[in-house]
């Protein structure tokens, strides 16, 4: 490999890493129809049973969860409330403690999360966080970035190493894409926390309620050190949502900066949540 080739190789890599912060380009290049199309495909796969878990057909519970989402959507900070669906679907899987908002506002809530959460405000905080992912178009940005990085890295390696060696270097390109995607997803989680907090301020819920969820997971991790196993309910959530003291501290800072004081018991709506869960599942939350 010549010095010129090496310089070109590292220059291109530098540009690729720099472009990781240019998610705004997706907003300019990709119309919202892309988000709606991706979300619709995700929804169809779930409805037909091709996704992970079966749909729970409980109209009363679905209506209840939709009412929480509708309260959040009253926030003036939500830009795509008229463009995106923001429809709640419940996945019947007690082994998954998670909620997902696919592109275009298709919201999926797992029953495992409903059993784990202890009040309505905390669930609302989680849903606000997921809505923020859709609003910031994180999935679309992640998808476009990963696809672009893979092909650019492959062609760069073909140019530098030659077509024969480039084929063997495909795994390296894939690994680079995954590592960059992981770093990007962590920054997206922080952004979703921030925007979700802002959305919550327009609701009757305590804006910092999502911190209770983080703290409860930390308690579970202390009681069950093996929580990262593939058969553990929290495994899927922990794999995509980095949980640590930093997120709790960031939440506390947002409350302090917004001059929001201690919460009242009413702002958590615990009894309403408890009665709803008991009605649907025959057992209440702790």
């Amino acid at each position: 490999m010549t010095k010129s080739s090496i310089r070109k190789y590292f220059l291109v890599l530098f540009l690729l890493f720099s472009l990781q912060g240019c998610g705004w380009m997706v907003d300019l290049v990709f119309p919202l129809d892309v988000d709606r199309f991706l979300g619709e495909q995700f929804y169809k796969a779930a409805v037909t049973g091709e996704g992970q878990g079966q749909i729970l057909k409980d109209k009363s519970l679905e209506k209840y969860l939709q009412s929480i989402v509708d309260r959040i959507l009253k926030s003036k900070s939500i830009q795509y409330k008229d463009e995106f669906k923001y429809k709640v679907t419940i996945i019947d899987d007690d082994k998954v403690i998670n909620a997902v908002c696919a592109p275009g506002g298709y919201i999926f809530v797992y029953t495992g999360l409903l059993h784990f959460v202890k009040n309505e405000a905390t669930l609302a905080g989680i849903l606000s966080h997921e809505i923020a992912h859709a609003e910031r178009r994180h999935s679309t940005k992640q998808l476009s970035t990963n696809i672009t990085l893979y092909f650019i890295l492959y062609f760069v390696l073909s140019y530098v190493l030659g077509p024969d060696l480039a084929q063997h270097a495909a795994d390296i390109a894939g690994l680079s894409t995954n590592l960059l995607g992981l770093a990007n997803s962590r920054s997206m989680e922080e952004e979703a926390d921030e925007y979700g907090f802002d959305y919550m301020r327009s609701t009757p819920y305590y804006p910092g309620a999502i911190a209770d969820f983080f703290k409860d997971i930390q308690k579970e991790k202390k009681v069950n050190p093996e929580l990262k196993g593939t058969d553990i309910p929290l495994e899927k959530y922990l794999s995509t949502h980095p949980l640590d003291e930093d997120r709790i501290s960031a939440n506390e800072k947002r409350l302090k900066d917004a001059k929001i004081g201690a919460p009242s018991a009413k702002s958590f709506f615990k009894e309403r949540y408890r009665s709803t869960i008991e009605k649907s599942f025959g057992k209440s939350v702790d």
Side-chain angles (χ1 to χ4, degrees):
M1 185 186 300
T2 66
K3 291 183 178 180
S4 176
S5 296
I6 294 175
R7 283 196 293 268
K8 291 178 181 178
Y9 174 70
F10 282 105
L11 175 61
V12 173
L13 283 182
F14 173 77
L15 291 174
L16 290 176
F17 276 98
S18 299
L19 286 174
Q20 285 298 293
C22 298
W24 55 268
M25 294 181 66
V26 173
D27 294 326
L28 295 176
V29 177
F30 293 92
L32 296 180
D33 286 340
V34 173
D35 297 66
R36 286 189 285 261
F37 173 78
L38 292 173
E40 185 177 358
Q41 300 310 306
F42 195 96
Y43 175 75
K44 287 181 178 178
V47 171
T48 58
E50 296 176 9
Q52 296 183 349
Q54 297 294 319
I55 301 297
L56 177 69
K57 297 180 180 179
D58 186 330
K59 292 297 182 182
S60 178
L61 183 59
E62 187 177 291
K63 184 178 179 180
Y64 170 70
L65 297 180
Q66 188 66 52
S67 71
I68 298 175
V69 170
D70 290 343
R71 291 189 190 96
I72 299 168
L73 292 177
K74 291 180 180 179
S75 171
K76 294 181 180 180
S77 299
I78 296 181
Q79 184 177 359
Y80 302 127
K81 63 182 70 178
D82 295 325
E83 286 82 3
F84 289 168
K85 200 80 173 178
Y86 289 123
K87 169 185 170 57
V88 175
T89 300
I90 305 170
I91 305 297
D92 190 6
D93 193 339
D94 291 347
K95 293 183 178 181
V96 179
I97 299 175
N98 205 356
V100 177
C101 190
Y106 291 86
I107 302 172
F108 298 87
V109 179
Y110 289 83
T111 54
L113 177 66
L114 299 177
H115 290 300
F116 186 79
V117 170
K118 296 180 174 60
N119 60 73
E120 190 174 304
T122 299
L123 179 61
I126 295 169
L127 294 175
S128 290
H129 172 95
E130 296 304 330
I131 289 172
H133 278 308
E135 284 290 304
R136 303 306 297 163
R137 306 185 69 189
H138 285 162
S139 294
T140 304
K141 291 174 182 177
Q142 190 88 314
L143 179 64
S144 64
T145 299
N146 287 353
I147 291 175
T148 301
L149 280 173
Y150 181 86
F151 283 105
I152 290 180
L153 280 172
Y154 179 80
F155 286 118
V156 168
L157 291 171
S158 296
Y159 175 76
V160 175
L161 303 178
D164 294 334
L165 290 177
Q167 182 62 42
H168 297 289
D171 290 339
I172 298 176
L175 176 61
S176 300
T177 301
N178 290 333
L179 290 176
L180 291 174
L182 177 62
N184 206 20
S185 68
R186 289 182 183 275
S187 65
M188 288 176 177
E189 289 299 326
E190 293 173 359
E191 186 176 44
D193 281 347
E194 181 179 348
Y195 277 79
F197 176 84
D198 184 42
Y199 303 158
M200 284 284 283
R201 295 186 64 183
S202 298
T203 71
Y205 305 116
Y206 178 58
I210 194 173
D212 284 358
F213 178 61
F214 301 154
K215 293 174 182 177
D216 286 340
I217 286 183
Q218 286 189 331
K219 291 178 182 177
E220 288 293 322
K221 289 168 68 176
K222 290 180 180 179
V223 174
N224 300 299
E226 74 282 4
L227 278 178
K228 290 186 179 180
T230 56
D231 295 325
I232 304 299
L234 287 179
E235 188 271 335
K236 290 186 179 179
Y237 191 92
L238 293 173
S239 67
T240 56
H241 295 70
L243 296 171
D244 50 37
E245 290 294 340
D246 290 340
R247 291 185 78 183
I248 296 175
S249 297
N251 188 65
E252 292 175 351
K253 185 178 185 302
R254 281 189 285 268
L255 289 168
K256 183 178 180 180
D257 291 344
K259 297 181 179 180
I260 298 175
S264 65
K266 293 182 179 179
S267 63
F268 284 89
F269 298 90
K270 183 174 182 178
E271 292 305 318
R272 182 165 67 187
Y273 184 76
R274 182 190 296 270
S275 62
T276 301
I277 296 301
E278 186 173 3
K279 180 180 179 181
S280 293
F281 298 116
K283 57 181 179 179
S284 183
V285 295
D286 295 333

